[in-house]
């Protein structure tokens, strides 16, 4: 062999030795995975494995809850690195990550407790995660646990030494998550403040809806900016859409109550749209398919409510203060811009590595709306304080006048009461006693009255006079009935009529006005007079009690006799005695019944008077 051949052979051996040394040497930098093997499993079909380029854009047919997607990524370049790590920037769905069938350990102290509890954790694909890569690992498996929230599966994955990936991971976490925990805490505090402001002002429903929105969005920031997925993966993803929809609906309700509290039909429209979108989720769960459509319906409804909210603010700009209108519109435009950017990612127009802004858009809106609502409350309280000061000054100025006016008013009321009492007595004397005396006088002048008839007429006048004299203190009904019995006992006995007295104890609490008590006594007197004159009765029974009827307590007084009953001429239209009795009953709002007694003989007069 020539020298030239020996030199060529030696060079080849050196090159092969160098290449072998490089193959076994650890990776010296960060290696970004460009390709992966994707395995798609569908129930009832054979799994299909194919090579894909990252980020992996998924067709619509694979974005469903019935499809299971897993990726295998080659990391053999770092197999010999003693302290290697793998950095997952983003995955389109909650995922599990493992190597050689064993889950990788997340390099984050806040989830060590969750990993120590056992079981393979599910990670949030929105949040970058750094995992320790065991030495000798050549392949890493990433399994999606449910349908993706963006049209991509595995987006970006890098492997390399831990000390190189850790600064990159820290910087990315700062840009992606940032101060989400702090913002969530601020939003929750704003929600608590809004709720406390609403408690003494229950009519300001915008504060209540704002408090509920802050609570909902603050909880979302805490839950969805964590690495670990709590609960089923599908429920975790669907609740994210539900949370955003409810936040938009509650914000719309808060805005409506702030700018137009009387438009209840608009609030009902918001509720109907929200309920219709929410109904898609249980329907999809029952059907076992349709989860992407339910999520799309929630996103469309939430977006529509936010745009409609902006339209309502614009239409009512003339009724709002300039700074309020500018603040509301600025906050809402910021939210709409953030929402548009995120929807472009969901639609696949923007790259899947783009940051999410809708959380921060809602935070801006909630902070702005809380400040505007707080300003409204403060201005209202200031106006109330100024009004109270003015009222106190006016009250102080008028207090002396009012005291003097009260004294004059009491004197006037007493004089008015005396005048009314005098007028009532004069009226009753004219209509009752005066009419009876005039009738007796005309009868005597014409010689038309016998001594007996004249005596009866004078007795009726005397009874009327006694009633008028007793009417001043006749409000206590048992006392008025006792006075009536005292006068009529002797007259009934002289006519051969025995009086049966039945007054229930329920009358002890009955108080009637002088006018009502007088009319009741007149009706009883007329009934007793008819018994003495016409009935030929031997027994007369008076029963008085308080009964329930027509939804109120009623005074019921019944006078029953065992006489010959009511003659036909006594019930004809225009009969004087019965007509007077009915007239007096109507004057006091009572109901009077005159009918044949239940025993078959005699007459029963029943008076029912509602009690206040």
């Amino acid at each position: 062999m020539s020298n030239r051949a020996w030199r060529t052979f030696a060079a080849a051996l050196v090159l092969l030795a160098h290449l072998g040394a490089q193959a076994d040497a650890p990776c010296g930098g960060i290696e970004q995975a460009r390709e992966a093997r994707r395995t798609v499993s569908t129930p009832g079909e054979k799994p299909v494995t194919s090579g894909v380029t990252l980020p992996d854009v998924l067709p619509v047919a694979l974005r469903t809850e019935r499809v299971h997607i897993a990726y295998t990524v080659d990391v053999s370049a770092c197999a010999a690195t003693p302290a290697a790590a793998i950095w997952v920037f983003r995955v389109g769905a909650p995922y599990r990550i493992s190597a050689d069938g064993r889950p990788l350990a997340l390099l984050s102290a806040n989830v060590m407790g969750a990993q120590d509890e056992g079981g393979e954790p599910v990670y949030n694909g929105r949040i970058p995660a750094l995992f320790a890569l065991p030495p000798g690992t050549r392949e890493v498996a990433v399994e999606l646990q449910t349908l993706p929230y963006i049209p991509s599966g595995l987006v970006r994955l890098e492997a390399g030494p831990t000390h190189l990936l850790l600064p990159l991971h820290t910087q990315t976490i700062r840009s992606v998550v940032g101060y989400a925990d702090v913002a969530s805490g601020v939003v929750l505090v704003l929600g608590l403040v809004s709720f406390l402001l609403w408690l003494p002002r229950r009519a300001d429903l915008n504060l209540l809806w704002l408090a509920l929105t802050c609570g909902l969005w603050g909880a979302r920031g805490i839950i969805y900016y964590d690495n670990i997925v709590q609960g089923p993966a599908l429920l975790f993803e669907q609740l994210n859409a539900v949370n955003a929809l409810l936040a938009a609906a509650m914000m719309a309700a808060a805005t409506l109550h702030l700018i137009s509290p009387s438009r209840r039909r608009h609030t009902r429209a918001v509720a109907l749209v929200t309920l219709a979108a929410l109904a898609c989720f249980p329907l999809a769960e029952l059907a076992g398919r349709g989860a992407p459509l339910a999520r799309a319906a929630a996103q469309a409804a939430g977006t529509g409510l936010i745009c409609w909210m902006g339209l309502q603010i614009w239409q009512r700009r003339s009724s709002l203060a300039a700074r309020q209108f500018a603040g509301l519109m600025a906050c809402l435009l910021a939210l709409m811009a953030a929402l548009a950017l995120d929807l472009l990612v969901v639609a696949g127009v923007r790259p899947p590595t783009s940051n999410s802004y809708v959380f921060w858009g809602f935070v801006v809106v909630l902070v702005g709306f809380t400040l505007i609502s707080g300003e409204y409350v403060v201005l209202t309280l200031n106006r109330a304080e100024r009004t109270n000061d003015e009222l106190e000054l006016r009250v102080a100025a008028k207090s002396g006048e009012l005291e003097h006016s009260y004294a004059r008013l009491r004197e006037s009321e007493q004089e008015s009461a005396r005048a009314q009492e005098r007028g009532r007595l004069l009226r009753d004397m004219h209509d009752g006693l005066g009419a009876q005396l005039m009738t007796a006088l005309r009868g005597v002048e014409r010689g038309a009255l016998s001594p007996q008839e004249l005596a009866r007429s004078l007795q009726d006048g005397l009874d009327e006079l006694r009633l008028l004299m007793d009417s001043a203190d006749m409000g206590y009904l048992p006392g008025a009935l006792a006075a009536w019995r005292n006068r009529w006992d002797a007259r009934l006995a002289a006519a051969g009529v025995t009086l049966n007295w039945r007054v229930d104890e329920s009358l002890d609490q009955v108080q009637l006005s002088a006018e009502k008590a007088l009319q009741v006594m007149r009706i009883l007197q007329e009934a007793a007079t008819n018994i003495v004159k016409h009935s030929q009765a031997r027994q007369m029974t008076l029963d008085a009690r308080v009964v329930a009827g027509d939804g109120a307590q009623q005074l019921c007084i019944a006078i029953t006799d065992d006489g010959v009953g009511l003659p036909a001429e006594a019930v004809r239209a225009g009969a004087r005695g019965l007509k007077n009795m009915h007239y007096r009953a109507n004057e006091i709002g009572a109901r009077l019944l005159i009918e044949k007694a239940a025993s078959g003989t005699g007459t029963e007069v029943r008076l029912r008077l509602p009690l206040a």
Side-chain angles (χ1 to χ4, degrees), residues 109-164:
N110 62 342
V111 295
M112 293 302 295
Q115 291 177 320
D116 292 342
E117 294 177 358
E120 187 175 354
V122 178
Y123 297 101
N124 186 0
R126 297 172 176 80
I127 308 303
L130 184 63
F131 300 93
L133 196 61
T137 302
R138 294 186 173 274
E139 288 185 340
V140 171
V142 178
E143 299 180 31
L144 305 190
Q145 300 302 303
T146 186
L147 73 161
Y149 62 92
I150 56 176
S152 297
L154 186 58
V155 176
R156 181 179 173 186
L157 184 146
E158 298 182 10
T162 304
H163 70 278
L164 296 180

Side-chain angles (χ1 to χ4, degrees), residues 477 504 506-508 510 544-548 553-556 611:
L477 187 60
D504 192 74
S506 58
L507 266 68
D508 290 344
V510 176
R545 64 186 65 248
V546 175
V547 299
Q553 297 289 321
Q554 294 185 351
L555 170 65
C556 181
L611 300 175

Side-chain angles (χ1 to χ4, degrees), residues 228-410:
I228 300 297
V229 172
Q230 305 294 338
L234 179 59
L235 181 63
F236 178 83
E237 285 300 329
Q238 298 299 76
L239 283 181
N240 183 38
V242 171
N243 184 290
L245 171 61
L246 292 178
M250 292 179 182
M251 180 56 62
T255 304
L256 288 176
H257 282 91
L258 177 64
I259 65 177
S260 181
S262 61
R263 298 292 184 93
R264 295 185 178 180
R265 60 186 181 90
H266 287 170
T267 306
R268 288 194 294 267
V270 171
L272 289 176
V273 171
T274 305
L275 291 176
L278 290 177
C280 297
F281 290 95
L283 293 177
E285 181 66 22
L286 291 175
R289 62 180 64 194
L293 294 179
R295 183 187 300 171
Q299 291 173 344
T303 304
L305 288 175
I306 292 173
C307 295
W308 180 76
M309 182 169 54
L311 179 62
Q312 295 299 313
I313 295 174
W314 176 261
Q315 290 179 346
R316 288 166 180 78
R317 61 188 182 278
S318 58
S319 61
L320 297 172
R323 62 178 180 277
Q324 289 182 340
F325 171 72
L328 290 174
M329 287 303 297
C331 294
L332 199 58
L333 289 175
L335 174 59
M336 294 175 69
L339 183 61
L341 292 175
D342 281 19
L343 289 179
L344 291 177
V345 175
V346 173
V349 177
R350 297 183 69 219
T353 54
S354 303
N355 290 335
S356 176
Y357 297 102
V358 70
F359 172 79
W360 299 105
F362 258 106
V363 169
V364 170
V365 169
L366 292 175
V367 171
F369 277 39
T370 303
L371 292 176
I372 293 173
S373 299
E375 181 191 22
Y376 166 75
V377 172
V378 170
L379 291 177
T380 303
L381 293 177
N382 289 337
R383 285 196 297 268
E385 290 178 358
R386 289 195 299 269
T387 303
N388 289 335
D389 293 340
E390 293 176 1
L391 288 177
E392 289 178 359
L393 293 175
R394 293 181 181 180
V395 169
K398 295 292 184 180
S399 58
E401 298 179 11
L402 287 176
E403 291 178 0
H404 185 60
S405 298
Y406 286 153
R408 289 187 297 177
L409 180 60
R410 285 193 294 269

Side-chain angles (χ1 to χ4, degrees), residues 8-22:
T8 303
F9 179 73
L13 289 178
V14 172
L15 179 60
L16 289 175
H18 181 69
L19 291 176
Q22 281 188 335

Side-chain angles (χ1 to χ4, degrees), residues 345-488:
V345 175
V346 173
V349 177
R350 297 183 69 219
T353 54
S354 303
N355 290 335
S356 176
Y357 297 102
V358 70
F359 172 79
W360 299 105
F362 258 106
V363 169
V364 170
V365 169
L366 292 175
V367 171
F369 277 39
T370 303
L371 292 176
I372 293 173
S373 299
E375 181 191 22
Y376 166 75
V377 172
V378 170
L379 291 177
T380 303
L381 293 177
N382 289 337
R383 285 196 297 268
E385 290 178 358
R386 289 195 299 269
T387 303
N388 289 335
D389 293 340
E390 293 176 1
L391 288 177
E392 289 178 359
L393 293 175
R394 293 181 181 180
V395 169
K398 295 292 184 180
S399 58
E401 298 179 11
L402 287 176
E403 291 178 0
H404 185 60
S405 298
Y406 286 153
R408 289 187 297 177
L409 180 60
R410 285 193 294 269
E411 294 177 0
S412 176
E413 289 177 347
Q414 293 173 358
E415 182 63 29
S416 176
R418 287 193 293 268
Q420 290 179 0
E421 186 65 15
R422 285 196 300 269
R424 184 184 67 81
L425 289 174
L426 290 174
R427 185 172 60 254
D428 289 338
M429 291 178 66
H430 177 272
D431 296 341
L433 179 60
Q436 291 175 352
L437 293 178
M438 183 61 67
T439 300
L441 178 61
R442 292 291 179 261
V444 170
E445 289 176 349
R446 294 195 302 267
L449 294 178
S450 64
Q452 294 81 4
E453 292 173 337
L454 180 59
R456 284 197 298 270
S457 180
L458 293 176
Q459 181 64 49
D460 292 340
L462 183 59
D463 291 339
E464 179 67 21
L465 179 60
R466 287 171 176 169
L467 283 177
L468 292 176
M469 293 172 63
D470 293 340
S471 64
D473 55 353
M474 202 179 279
Y476 180 58
L477 187 60
L481 290 175
W484 184 89
R485 179 184 182 184
N486 185 53
R487 289 195 299 270
W488 274 88

